Amino acid sequence: MEVFSGRPRGPERHPPVGGSRARRASLLDLHSAAGQVFLLQVVIVVLLVVAAVGAMALQAASDALQQGRRESIIAAESFASAPGVAEALQSPDPTAVLQPRAEAARKRAGVDFVIAMNTDGIRYTYPYPREIGKKFVGTIEPALKGRTVVEQAGGPPLPAGRGTDVQAVVPVTDSHGKVVGLVSAGITVRNVAGLWMPQLPIILGSGVAALALAVTGTTLVSRRLRRQTYGMAPVELAELYRHHDAVLHAVREGVLITDADGRLLLANDEATRLLGLPADVRGRLMRELGLPEPITRLLSSPEAVTDEVRLVGDRLLAVNKRPTYPQAGSEGSVVTLRDTTELAAVSGRAEVARERLKLLYEAGVGIGTTLDVERTAQELADVAVPQFADLVTVDLLEAVLRGWEPTAEGWRQLRRAAIGGEQRMVPVYPLGEVITFSRRTPQMRSLQERRVVLEEDLRQAHGWREQDPERAGKALECGLRSLVAVPLRARNVPLGVANFYRTVDSPAFEPEDLTFAEELAARAAVAIDNARRFTREHAMAVTLQRSLLPRRQPEQDALEVAWRYMPAEAGVGGDWFDVIPLPGARVALVMGDVVGHGLHAAATMGRLRTAVHNFSTLDLPVDEVLGNLDDLVVRMDNEENTDDAGEGQEGEGVTGATCLYAVYDPVTEACTMARAGHPEPVVVRPDGTVTCPDVPASAPLGLGGYPFETVELSLPEGSQLVLYTDGLVEDRTHDIDVGMERLRRALGGSGGRTPEETCQAVIDSLKPSHSSDDIALLTARTRRFPRSDVAMWDVPPDPAVVPSVRARCRETLLEWGLEEAAFATELIVSELVTNAVRYGSPPVGVRLLHGRSLICEVSDGSGTSPRMRRAATTDEGGRGLFLVAQFAQRWGTRYTTHGKVIWAEQLLHDGASAASGLAPVDFLLDQFDDPGL
């Protein structure tokens, strides 16, 4: 039987007939075997020719060099032993004697030079007379010792021209054997080409003959190979074999070739594996291989088969069978086998992988939708049920839920943050419960070992059962089967553990499920850590914001105040408010809002609030306070927008702020206010009428150069002044006009409410479900200073009236029951009135206010401000303000449109001035004069 290759059978191929051109083309083709053999032969012949020529040249040069050495020695020794040479060297003029003899000897000997020299190497003779008297170039030391020296050297130009200079140096001795001089003879070895050039044609002819034989032999071998390979080159044959072997043994299908008798001619590796064939199966009958009867009968039959499935062992094989070369009459068969069992398994794994990828996509979309830690944990539990697990619990460290940085000390106590699945069927720890895990539990092992822990059978999980034996027993009775505990880690920081459970209705977890569980937990851990960090930053910002806002109400008699502050869900902003007591029983109300959110806005708010306090302490007018605040915001913007400011900061400057500043005087019931880009206030009259006073709207802070207009309102006692930020009335869902209308409705009928009740009513009505901006609300109900506690009178500009003013002051204090404060008050009023009369201008007035403290005010029409100084012993004045400062707790100056007011405040304790226990006046004056103070 003949076995053919995979190439289709066709007519016999013959070598191409194309004459010498085709043969030459074949020989010159270096990709063919003939061309490569021919090239190798050419290289060998060329190398042999070159080697022969080189050897001949080297041999000729060596012979010429040896001949030159002999001739130079003979010439030198002949001249040195010639009669009279030794005597000539010792004569007064050796050159005159020896130069003609040396030239004659040189020409007779055929050498290039004969040099006679003294023992110092100075030449006496040379073919060129100009070189006589110069130093000999060569080695003379051995010759001085009586030896002959032969060397190759270079020296002055020689008659023979260029070449290799071979020279011999011999000694010249006198009759006593003493060396009296030296003689050197040399010859130049010229081109030796003439020695080997006659043999060159013979060498080249041999090379040409060898090349001709190589061409002839290569051509004959190439023609014979083409006839035997049907015109295919050996490279093509090798490539065809490699392809045949690679396809046959690397294909994922089994291949069998049988003959008509059912003998196995060929079986590739895959067929051997699928059928479990032994190693020595070639040439054996199929029925002798021990295969199952159905597959044996199928492989032995001559019928063609298409995709017929047969069971062989635990594999389902799809069999295809076709005759070999049916058009040529061959009766063999080619059988292919395909393992459909593995294909089904691969299809199943692909489907599982597709479902897992889909679940991971859902996890990426569904986990981390909010920045709430517990909500994110619940999203992880909801995503994993029921596609991956039947029950999921997420336990987080307490520090994570609070937004703190977790530490290893708190690992054993975790709080149940989320539960997913049918928890009513399986008893588990409820939400919010703190669980103390033992060290042998899968949860604690996963945290400590930083890896996924698999419990395929919870009945054998002793550590899990020891945690709570009673609860574990009930869970097993309810059908709990296996567990995968995955540590939740982000940025190499432990956050908690996720527990995936399966019941007996689902297959137990396998090692292949661990990678997916770890990937799912890793995505959730990043979202949980982001939520934790947001919680921490939000808590820090809220803490900073609240620390910068008023913590308690200041002591004052003018207003009854209540406030509310609610930070936004996404972060705090720059809203602030303040209640600042001022001299004269007045109170300043401040409401402001810095543009932006976060720590930068909160810090900027703190700076502005401090600045407002400082400006209020100076008792500046309302518009000047806003003007100074505007300059401060401009400077802050310029500082933070400089080139050397740090990049990547949360804020790129303040970029603006709004503020409303109001001052209420309970004595006059007047309220002076101005607003810089802030929403206008709302006034609730005592009868419940809600109005919006027409407070001029000025430019926001930070624009610079714009004036601020003020307005003065009369607020009867019991009126409520409501200040707020835009977060209360403005929202994405509606315009500010809608919010203002809702605020008016919420304030309707608030005339009889307390400020606390009013604040709560407004918040209940207007607070949004999800606040995107901070909300600050301040409600102040006015009080009128009792007329009976106010005393005021005009003072003539005469120093003589000061005693009468003191007497009237004493009478007033006696009416108020402040006898113990009379002395200090008389002294303060006396000093202030004296200064006003002496240094001020009319009109001069005095006002006493009796409230939480006793306030003495002296006004005059001058705009100059007094100052306290140290008076010398010889000075007649300069001690009055010092005494005022000693007897009053506070004192200062405020300016009005008609002049100034100097005030002094004394704190009262049960009707007595706190300054009554101070040292006597004389003692204070003595101390004031003491230069050591």
Side-chain angles (χ1 to χ4, degrees):
M1 184 191 72
E2 296 180 351
V3 179
F4 299 95
S5 66
R7 185 186 296 272
R9 179 177 293 180
E12 184 178 358
R13 299 178 60 182
H14 298 281
V17 180
S20 61
R21 177 183 296 180
R23 287 193 295 272
R24 286 194 300 270
S26 175
L27 292 177
L28 295 178
D29 186 7
L30 298 182
H31 296 286
S32 64
Q36 294 174 1
V37 172
F38 176 70
L39 178 61
L40 179 60
Q41 292 176 343
V42 170
V43 171
I44 293 175
V45 170
V46 171
L47 291 178
L48 290 175
V49 171
V50 171
V53 173
M56 292 177 59
L58 291 176
Q59 184 63 38
S62 178
D63 294 343
L65 189 60
Q66 293 295 330
Q67 183 179 354
R69 292 168 63 90
R70 289 193 301 270
E71 293 179 358
S72 61
I73 293 174
I74 293 173
E77 290 182 348
S78 299
F79 189 81
S81 59
V85 173
E87 291 78 3
L89 289 173
Q90 297 176 356
S91 64
D93 190 4
T95 301
V97 179
L98 296 177
Q99 176 69 9
R101 297 177 61 181
E103 285 299 305
R106 178 180 68 82
K107 294 178 181 179
R108 288 195 305 270
V111 296
D112 291 328
F113 63 86
V114 176
I115 301 174
M117 68 192 84
N118 60 12
T119 55
D120 295 330
I122 303 302
R123 291 193 289 262
Y124 292 148
T125 64
Y126 201 78
Y128 299 118
R130 64 178 179 273
E131 300 295 333
I132 296 175
K134 297 181 179 180
K135 186 73 173 180
F136 173 74
V137 180
T139 304
I140 63 176
E141 285 77 7
L144 294 175
K145 296 179 181 180
R147 297 195 299 271
T148 300
V149 180
V150 181
E151 63 179 350
Q152 299 179 19
L158 299 174
R162 294 186 175 183
T164 302
D165 182 13
V166 179
Q167 63 184 13
V169 180
V170 298
V172 179
T173 57
D174 57 6
S175 58
H176 302 288
K178 179 182 179 182
V179 178
V180 297
L182 303 174
V183 175
S184 175
I187 186 171
T188 300
V189 181
R190 297 176 179 82
N191 191 357
V192 296
L195 301 175
W196 54 271
M197 282 294 287
Q199 300 180 12
L200 184 61
I202 299 175
I203 298 174
L204 294 179
S206 301
V208 171
L211 288 177
L213 291 175
V215 171
T216 302
T218 304
T219 302
L220 295 176
V221 171
S222 176
R223 293 179 63 183
R224 182 174 181 83
L225 288 175
R226 286 182 176 274
R227 284 197 302 269
Q228 293 180 348
T229 60
Y230 300 100
M232 297 179 64
V235 176
E236 295 176 325
L237 288 175
E239 185 177 5
L240 178 63
Y241 176 78
R242 286 196 302 270
H243 291 172
H244 172 270
D245 189 67
V247 172
L248 185 64
H249 295 286
V251 71
R252 291 290 297 170
E253 290 189 356
V255 178
L256 301 174
I257 300 179
T258 61
D259 60 6
D261 299 331
R263 292 184 180 276
L264 184 61
L265 301 179
L266 184 144
N268 67 348
D269 296 341
E270 184 67 11
T272 303
R273 186 184 69 84
L274 294 176
L275 298 177
L277 300 177
D280 54 344
V281 295
R282 189 168 184 176
R284 297 173 59 181
L285 295 174
M286 296 297 299
R287 58 179 176 270
E288 298 176 356
L289 300 179
L291 299 176
E293 181 60 26
I295 191 66
T296 301
R297 184 169 57 254
L298 181 63
L299 297 178
S300 301
S301 64
E303 290 83 7
V305 175
T306 301
D307 290 334
E308 189 167 338
V309 179
R310 289 288 186 271
L311 179 62
V312 179
D314 57 349
R315 293 187 176 92
L316 291 176
L317 302 181
V319 182
N320 287 275
K321 186 177 181 182
R322 295 290 185 275
T324 56
Y325 300 120
Q327 69 275 17
S330 174
E331 297 181 359
S333 299
V334 175
V335 180
T336 59
L337 307 172
R338 186 173 65 255
D339 190 354
T340 58
T341 304
E342 291 189 0
L343 292 177
V346 170
S347 300
R349 288 195 296 270
E351 181 64 21
V352 172
R354 188 185 69 82
E355 293 296 332
R356 294 288 172 83
L357 289 176
K358 180 181 178 181
L359 185 56
L360 286 178
Y361 171 77
E362 294 177 357
V365 174
I367 299 177
T369 58
T370 65
L371 289 174
D372 183 80
V373 175
E374 295 185 4
R375 178 58 186 166
T376 304
Q378 187 62 47
E379 289 172 347
L380 168 61
D382 295 340
V383 166
V385 176
Q387 292 91 335
F388 180 67
D390 299 321
L391 176 65
V392 177
T393 61
V394 180
D395 303 323
L396 299 178
L397 300 176
E398 188 71 23
V400 175
L401 293 171
R402 295 178 179 269
W404 303 338
E405 194 73 17
T407 58
E409 288 77 9
W411 284 7
R412 294 193 61 185
Q413 291 187 344
L414 289 87
R415 186 179 295 275
R416 177 81 17 113
I419 300 176
E422 192 58 44
Q423 55 178 324
R424 290 173 296 181
M425 296 181 59
V426 179
V428 295
Y429 291 103
L431 283 175
E433 183 170 346
V434 177
I435 309 170
T436 303
F437 288 102
S438 64
R439 296 186 180 276
R440 297 183 59 189
T441 57
Q443 291 83 356
M444 189 54 57
R445 287 166 51 201
S446 67
L447 277 176
Q448 292 178 342
E449 299 175 9
R450 302 181 181 183
R451 64 178 182 88
V452 183
V453 175
L454 170 63
E455 295 289 353
E456 297 185 19
D457 189 355
L458 289 176
R459 293 171 298 181
Q460 307 298 326
H462 301 291
W464 176 78
R465 300 187 66 176
E466 290 176 1
Q467 173 67 27
D468 191 339
E470 182 180 355
R471 192 186 301 270
K474 293 181 179 179
L476 293 175
E477 293 176 2
C478 293
L480 214 59
R481 179 177 184 178
S482 59
L483 163 67
V484 172
V486 187
L488 297 173
R489 301 179 61 84
R491 300 181 297 107
N492 203 27
V493 175
L495 306 175
V497 60
N499 307 297
F500 301 93
Y501 294 93
R502 282 184 181 176
T503 61
V504 292
D505 298 331
S506 303
F509 285 112
E510 299 177 353
E512 291 79 7
D513 298 321
L514 302 185
T515 303
F516 175 78
E518 193 171 11
E519 177 67 23
L520 190 62
R523 299 193 178 198
V526 173
I528 292 175
D529 187 59
N530 290 337
R532 178 194 66 82
R533 297 173 68 184
F534 170 78
T535 301
R536 181 189 61 183
E537 297 295 335
H538 183 69
M540 291 174 57
V542 171
T543 302
L544 175 62
Q545 178 82 336
R546 293 191 182 278
S547 66
L548 296 175
L549 293 175
R551 298 187 180 183
R552 60 183 179 86
Q553 295 189 13
E555 295 182 356
Q556 46 86 27
D557 298 323
L559 298 171
E560 182 183 355
V561 182
W563 58 66
R564 293 289 187 276
Y565 172 74
M566 288 168 290
E569 292 183 355
V572 299
D575 295 7
W576 93 92
F577 57 89
D578 217 336
V579 179
I580 307 172
L582 298 178
R586 297 170 302 138
V587 176
L589 299 178
V590 188
M591 179 66 68
D593 186 1
V594 176
V595 176
H597 291 83
L599 294 176
H600 179 77
T604 303
M605 177 272 290
R607 297 174 66 181
L608 296 182
R609 179 172 178 251
T610 303
V612 172
H613 264 275
N614 295 334
F615 298 148
S616 300
T617 303
L618 297 176
D619 211 348
L620 299 176
V622 173
D623 55 341
E624 291 188 19
V625 170
L626 292 182
N628 291 330
L629 202 61
D630 179 58
D631 294 339
L632 175 62
V633 173
V634 172
R635 289 196 300 271
M636 292 168 61
D637 273 330
N638 294 335
E639 291 174 359
E640 299 193 20
N641 288 328
T642 55
D643 294 337
D644 57 350
E647 298 182 359
Q649 295 180 353
E650 186 179 351
E652 296 294 338
V654 180
T655 68
T658 65
C659 183
L660 187 149
Y661 186 74
V663 176
Y664 174 70
D665 189 346
V667 178
T668 62
E669 296 184 339
C671 181
T672 305
M673 65 179 66
R675 62 189 180 107
H678 201 81
E680 61 179 342
V682 178
V683 175
V684 182
R685 298 292 177 176
D687 58 357
T689 305
V690 180
T691 61
C692 292
D694 190 13
V695 181
S698 302
L701 302 176
L703 299 181
Y706 291 91
F708 298 96
E709 300 182 49
T710 62
V711 66
E712 184 174 315
L713 305 176
S714 177
L715 298 179
E717 185 176 10
S719 300
Q720 293 193 33
L721 182 63
V722 180
L723 309 180
Y724 54 91
T725 56
D726 56 358
L728 181 68
V729 296
E730 191 174 7
D731 196 3
R732 298 177 182 177
T733 59
H734 57 76
D735 194 9
I736 189 173
D737 295 334
V738 177
M740 289 297 298
E741 183 61 31
R742 294 175 57 191
L743 176 60
R744 294 188 189 97
R745 288 198 302 266
L747 292 173
S750 298
R753 296 175 181 170
T754 64
E756 189 70 29
E757 293 172 346
T758 302
C759 283
Q760 192 60 44
V762 171
I763 293 298
D764 293 340
S765 300
L766 275 73
K767 180 185 178 183
S769 57
H770 299 285
S771 177
S772 60
D773 195 5
D774 289 12
I775 296 177
L777 175 65
L778 175 64
T779 302
R781 184 164 63 179
T782 61
R783 296 171 179 168
R784 182 179 179 180
F785 208 89
R787 299 299 182 185
S788 60
D789 292 335
V790 179
M792 56 189 340
W793 57 90
D794 297 331
V795 178
D798 185 359
V801 302
V802 174
S804 62
V805 173
R806 295 178 60 177
R808 190 170 182 179
C809 176
R810 172 177 287 275
E811 294 174 358
T812 303
L813 295 179
L814 291 177
E815 294 177 2
W816 288 344
L818 302 177
E819 294 87 353
E820 296 184 8
F823 175 78
T825 306
E826 287 183 51
L827 180 62
I828 292 173
V829 171
S830 175
E831 294 295 337
L832 294 181
V833 170
T834 301
N835 285 338
V837 171
R838 284 186 177 181
Y839 307 110
S841 59
V844 178
V846 177
R847 186 172 74 167
L848 299 179
L849 301 176
H850 176 208
R852 293 177 182 269
S853 61
L854 179 61
I855 302 174
C856 303
E857 296 182 345
V858 176
S859 62
D860 67 87
S862 174
T864 61
S865 176
R867 61 184 182 87
M868 186 170 59
R869 65 183 179 87
R870 181 183 296 274
T873 307
T874 58
D875 291 343
E876 295 182 0
R879 299 174 179 85
L881 290 181
F882 174 77
L883 294 176
V884 172
Q886 294 298 320
F887 282 96
Q889 272 65 46
R890 294 192 305 159
W891 76 277
T893 304
R894 75 171 183 270
Y895 295 92
T896 64
T897 57
H898 305 290
K900 68 177 181 296
V901 176
I902 303 177
W903 58 269
E905 182 178 358
Q906 303 175 73
L907 299 180
L908 299 177
H909 298 288
D910 298 329
S913 173
S916 60
L918 297 177
V921 178
D922 295 337
F923 174 76
L924 292 175
L925 293 177
D926 293 340
Q927 295 295 321
F928 186 78
D929 292 335
D930 188 358
L933 291 179

